[in-house]
Amino acid sequence: DDQPVCGAAITRDEARITLIGLPDVPGTSLVVFDAIAEQNVTVDMIVQNVGENSEADISFTVPRNELDVTLIAVNKVLPSLGENVRLTHSDDVSKVSVVGLGMARQHGVANRMFKALSDAMINIQMITTSEIKISVLVERAQAMDALRAVHRAFSLEKVTCNVVPT
Amino acid sequence: DDQPVCGAAITRDEARITLIGLPDVPGTSLVVFDAIAEQNVTVDMIVQNVGENSEADISFTVPRNELDVTLIAVNKVLPSLGENVRLTHSDDVSKVSVVGLGMARQHGVANRMFKALSDAMINIQMITTSEIKISVLVERAQAMDALRAVHRAFSLEKVTCNVVPT
Ligand SMILES: C[C@@H](O)[C@H](N)C(=O)O
Ligand SMILES: C[C@@H](O)[C@H](N)C(=O)O
């Protein structure tokens, strides 16, 4: 399987919420996601990078049409999360992903994706990976260019997936 | 399928590298990952959260025994990434994941995982998700407790996966 990527996918209408300066202690992420679960919001990507000075940032994406209800739910618990915690959001983002069972064994799949996006002058806002999938968040206006760029980079007109690239 | 999670997995011996203050412009992530690809390092998790003030942080994990060769490769390109860029790392981390095809349709799977880790007083250092998998990075000393906690939370003694929880 010299073709590590078999498909690419796009989720056009996403919105992102970011909580900055969360206390980096056990239980904090539960408070955030309990507030959202009560609203029956469908969370897509969840990203947390390592924090510094005992604070961490968590971002997550939801369908664009669920942004308002999510902001209401999160703003309610914001005071209980800590006095330094800030919230930012954007409803102008899309997720672009590449999928492939062969990814875990091959070096450089991420490189090929990042090169495709770099050559197309597309800025990567968020990255999240699993063994069979790499997803990036980009500005919605650049999403179709991003999808076309990765499609070309992995010659996906010639390949099909037996993994559903959701 | 009222059982959204069918399995849990642990990667005990991981190391984490974080680049802080990267220029948040197209092409930056390519420079980082090109440097690593040359060394044939097996990158596992890649996490980038949204940046602020045109800077972003990227973390990635590698097998613990590949940390040294990775640090040498990244340190070589550090100057070309920008004068504010800092590098931190840890070789004391493990990845704990839950896997399940039903996750995408069910609300609150992340909550159940976060609750299990919170009740066990385990601090989450990094989070990355896909439609069928949630992975967290924890301190190695807490990794087995984390795995047991999620195993109990999702009653995994009664369930098996038809998705390989790598
Ligand atoms: C920031 C948040 O993830 C925290 N570390 C927790 O465990 O809940
Ligand atoms: C930070 C890095 O991801 C940058 N935004 C890029 O596109 O390469």
Side-chain angles (χ1 to χ4, degrees):
Chain A
D1 176 3
D2 61 347
Q3 180 63 27
V5 170
C6 63
I10 185 171
T11 311
R12 265 185 61 79
D13 292 311
E14 295 230 305
R16 169 199 49 86
I17 292 179
T18 303
L19 292 165
I20 298 163
L22 288 165
D24 195 359
V25 294
T28 303
S29 39
L30 181 64
V31 171
V32 172
F33 288 93
D34 270 354
I36 303 166
E38 276 171 31
Q39 303 300 323
N40 247 1
V41 170
T42 323
V43 174
D44 181 16
M45 296 166 86
I46 303 174
V47 173
Q48 177 195 332
N49 205 335
V50 288
E52 284 201 297
N53 313 321
S54 307
E55 292 184 348
D57 305 343
I58 292 181
S59 287
F60 59 93
T61 62
V62 298
R64 193 180 178 195
N65 60 3
E66 296 184 24
L67 176 61
D68 290 344
V69 67
T70 309
L71 283 172
I72 293 168
V74 176
N75 273 311
K76 267 198 206 131
V77 288
L78 214 54
S80 73
L81 287 167
E83 55 198 64
N84 296 338
V85 180
R86 285 183 296 129
L87 185 152
T88 66
H89 62 87
S90 165
D91 71 351
D92 181 30
V93 291
S94 301
K95 178 177 76 170
V96 174
S97 310
V98 295
V99 183
L101 289 175
M103 216 181 266
R105 290 188 302 282
Q106 298 226 1
H107 299 293
V109 170
N111 293 54
R112 283 168 69 184
M113 182 181 195
F114 296 155
K115 176 153 174 53
L117 298 173
S118 171
D119 290 349
M121 289 305 288
I122 290 165
N123 194 46
I124 301 168
Q125 295 186 13
M126 264 165 65
I127 304 172
T128 179
T129 61
S130 74
E131 282 71 14
I132 60 169
K133 185 170 187 165
I134 304 175
S135 295
V136 296
L137 202 70
V138 297
E139 213 179 293
R140 186 169 299 118
Q142 297 191 302
M144 286 313 291
D145 285 347
L147 187 67
R148 270 190 290 270
V150 296
H151 218 266
R152 251 193 327 270
F154 294 105
S155 311
L156 295 181
E157 71 284 356
K158 297 186 199 125
V159 194
T160 52
C161 264
N162 42 14
V163 181
V164 180
T166 39
Chain B
D1 177 359
D2 62 346
Q3 179 64 28
V5 170
C6 62
I10 185 171
T11 310
R12 264 185 62 80
D13 292 312
E14 295 228 307
R16 180 224 3 117
I17 293 179
T18 303
L19 293 166
I20 299 163
L22 289 164
D24 197 0
V25 294
T28 304
S29 41
L30 181 65
V31 171
V32 172
F33 288 94
D34 270 353
I36 304 166
E38 275 172 33
Q39 302 301 321
N40 247 359
V41 170
T42 322
V43 174
D44 182 17
M45 297 167 88
I46 304 174
V47 174
Q48 179 195 332
N49 206 334
V50 290
E52 282 200 296
N53 313 320
S54 307
E55 292 185 350
D57 307 341
I58 292 181
S59 289
F60 59 93
T61 61
V62 297
R64 191 180 178 194
N65 60 3
E66 296 184 21
L67 175 61
D68 290 342
V69 66
T70 310
L71 283 173
I72 294 168
V74 176
N75 273 312
K76 266 197 210 130
V77 289
L78 215 55
S80 73
L81 288 168
E83 55 199 65
N84 296 335
V85 180
R86 284 183 298 127
L87 184 151
T88 66
H89 63 88
S90 164
D91 71 352
D92 182 28
V93 290
S94 301
K95 179 176 77 170
V96 174
S97 309
V98 295
V99 182
L101 290 176
M103 218 180 262
R105 290 188 303 283
Q106 297 232 1
H107 300 294
V109 170
N111 294 56
R112 282 168 68 183
M113 182 180 193
F114 295 156
K115 175 151 174 56
L117 298 173
S118 171
D119 290 350
M121 290 303 290
I122 291 165
N123 194 47
I124 302 168
Q125 295 187 12
M126 263 164 62
I127 305 171
T128 180
T129 62
S130 75
E131 282 70 14
I132 60 168
K133 184 170 187 164
I134 303 175
S135 296
V136 296
L137 203 70
V138 298
E139 210 181 298
R140 186 168 301 116
Q142 298 192 303
M144 287 314 290
D145 285 347
L147 186 67
R148 272 191 291 270
V150 297
H151 218 268
R152 251 192 328 271
F154 293 104
S155 311
L156 295 180
E157 71 284 355
K158 296 183 199 130
V159 196
T160 53
C161 263
N162 44 12
V163 179
V164 180
T166 40

